[in-house]
Amino acid sequence: MSMNEQSSSLYHDTKLYYATHGINFLKPEYTLHPVGITLSPCTALTEAEYERMENLTSAINILYAKVLRDKEFIKESLQEMAKADDLMQGLMDMLDDSYGLDEQMYVSRCDYMIDSETNFPLLIEINMVSVGCTHLAPTVQRLHKFTHRYQEELKPIINRADDNWVSAMNSLMLKYDNPDASLLMICLDGELNQFDQYLMMTDLYEKHGIKPLRCTRSQISEITFDEENRVFFRGNEIGIIYWRTFYNHHQTTPEFWDLRRKLEKSKAYCVPTAAAQLIGSKYMQATLSNPDIVRKYLSCYTEEEIQEVASSLGHGISHTVTPEFTQHKDMKNFVMYPERWVLKPQGEGGSNNFFGMDGIVRLGLTDLHESLKADPTLEIAEELRNRFADDWNQFVLMKWIKPTVFDAEFLIGDKLTHYEDAIFELGIFNTTFVPHSSDESIITRSDGYLLRTKRKDDREGGMAVGISMLDSLAIAE
């Protein structure tokens, strides 16, 4: 087969596989909008590098699971930040309610970029609610495997995120005392990613016979409780509440907070609980970048592993924006060189962060930035302390990462574009069972990934707006 024939066949196979496997977003009036994908799998990662990231993810989730058992540490670490953040404060107010059952389970995704200077995986964030594409991501991996079936030099890294998710949900449902109970997925109204969610639901039903239901934010008033505190939706008993919304400030309502507290106290398993969602905050990530804290919870790990976990969580440099931090040299560096930093609030999902001068404007420091540009020797620590506002506590400051650049072809619908400045962000899925008793073992499993490829100058990574492409990993042998 000639190169031209291969190229034509690749495009043709991709389009047909794409259309027949639901790789779409759903817009109003049931209008289909194609998910952007790469034409070929990414080969910028070696198998050893991927395995290293899986092992790192397992260690990070063991750390988070042990922190989840330590309610007093969560309170002590997050209480000041929560005063400046309504979402976090609402979750803090029901922290005690998360420990009513014998066990908690969460599904997380650790999102990494690999620093080009050190070749070390740095954690962008850990998501506890905004954990999409457990089924679309493996679909794209299978697409690439099929469309490149004649390229024997490519060894795909199999993506089992879908199997891991349904297996974990089945294991949790077996702990509930009614085998006929349903899983209730609570989602956004007008959710674009419904195809992924319906793949999750059908997979769960076909493999384990669990009857899933879907409830949007506007339908939460239909959730009811009986005298035993069991949960029902439209007459169906619910064993698992699976949260896929209410993970940032724009999504909460007074009705939500009333319902959330009732659900935390109910007989149903909440995935995640309020406590698990709290520890997924950026503030906790920055707190856990302290090697001494990591060492406390991961005492059975080697010193090298402890340092790797702490370094990945903290990007090497990660700070909570506190009155004490105003005196740190990195705060001055941020004011003078904001393009080197990202100011992050606590919500999950995209479009929350402040990049470059947007962060300076958000903290009201434009005049100090201009003064420093005029005179870099200017001392501003005392002025920063005087200007410190309580709402600064809701932010963390993380250094901008410079990942390795490679070539990629982006396909959105019929439009195919070649770029020479692509970068990737790799999210590794994890399911973790956390018994509250320290005598019982934590069970955590890292299996499956979400690979998003975009251009290096794109700050956010939204797939729905065509910035990031769904991708998969392959090893070039």
Side-chain angles (χ1 to χ4, degrees), residues 201-217:
M201 293 166 67
T202 56
D203 201 17
L204 187 62
Y205 179 65
E206 289 170 0
K207 290 179 178 176
H208 299 291
I210 296 173
K211 304 178 185 71
L213 294 163
R214 194 169 176 278
C215 170
T216 65
R217 287 191 299 171

Side-chain angles (χ1 to χ4, degrees), residues 310-370:
S311 295
S312 185
L313 287 169
H315 294 196
I317 298 176
S318 180
H319 302 286
T320 53
V321 184
T322 61
E324 293 73 25
F325 176 59
T326 59
Q327 309 302 292
H328 197 285
K329 61 182 177 62
D330 284 336
M331 185 66 179
K332 179 177 179 179
N333 189 279
F334 162 63
V335 177
M336 188 168 182
Y337 304 109
E339 67 278 2
R340 299 177 182 177
W341 300 88
V342 184
L343 189 68
K344 292 188 172 187
Q346 303 309 307
E348 296 182 23
S351 303
N352 296 310
N353 299 328
F354 296 89
F355 298 91
M357 280 300 297
D358 289 343
I360 297 295
V361 172
R362 173 61 184 83
L363 299 186
L365 301 175
T366 304
D367 60 326
L368 282 185
H369 167 74
E370 292 172 350

Side-chain angles (χ1 to χ4, degrees), residues 63-76:
L63 169 64
Y64 273 75
K66 290 190 173 183
V67 168
L68 187 58
R69 282 177 166 172
D70 194 343
K71 184 168 54 175
E72 293 308 312
F73 176 77
I74 297 172
K75 288 181 180 178
E76 179 184 339

Side-chain angles (χ1 to χ4, degrees), residues 35 62 69 169 312 345 426:
V35 174
I62 290 291
R69 282 177 166 172
M169 290 302 167
S312 185
L426 178 64

